Amino acid sequence: MTKLTLGSHPYLLGFEQLERLLERNAKSGNEGYPPFNIEQTSDHSYRITLAVAGFAEQDLSITVEDRQLVIRGRQGDDGPDRVFLHRGIAARQFQRSFVLADGVEVGDAIMENGLLHIDLTRAQPETVVQTIKIKRG
């Protein structure tokens, strides 16, 4: 039995890059931390919200790498002066990735009450009708 992949489907031409993006995102190590929401804020915009309590703006980085939005968090060391009797608040690093479709642009990133909001907009493509002339061979 032959495995039918997105790139090998006869009606989907030129989607090999999309298949590679999906495979890469599946392997990116996105576990459940930090938790996040994705909401549609209008017909052409979205907002990703990550719960990053305990992280300061300088502990976070947001990059777009090959159509992939990558949010990383790394907290600094507490220092030798702090002695914890109980430590229930995790201070671990994380990386969360989201694959962006063509035309999706990353807008503002806003930190508010321990939540990191990242706004995305999707440009509306123009409808293009192209007529192809038939040549005699």
Side-chain angles (χ1 to χ4, degrees), residues 33-108:
Y33 181 77
F36 67 94
N37 292 336
I38 300 175
E39 65 180 298
Q40 186 169 0
T41 53
S42 76
D43 287 343
H44 309 295
S45 62
Y46 308 92
R47 173 172 269 189
I48 299 173
T49 301
L50 286 90
V52 293
F55 286 86
E57 288 89 349
Q58 62 267 20
D59 298 332
L60 301 168
S61 72
I62 303 168
T63 57
V64 177
E65 305 167 11
D66 191 25
R67 292 187 357 199
Q68 192 166 356
L69 174 65
V70 180
I71 301 108
R72 293 180 179 94
R74 182 182 198 110
Q75 292 179 322
D77 293 333
D78 290 323
D81 298 346
R82 297 182 77 180
V83 176
F84 290 94
L85 299 179
H86 171 75
R87 187 160 189 171
I89 300 172
R92 60 182 171 169
Q93 63 184 15
F94 70 86
Q95 176 174 314
R96 178 69 73 178
S97 302
F98 301 90
V99 175
L100 302 176
D102 284 335
V104 173
E105 297 291 326
V106 179
D108 292 331

Side-chain angles (χ1 to χ4, degrees), residues 113-128:
N113 300 324
L115 298 174
L116 175 64
H117 304 288
I118 302 169
D119 293 324
L120 308 170
T121 55
R122 183 181 67 213
Q124 282 299 96
E126 295 180 23
T127 303
V128 177

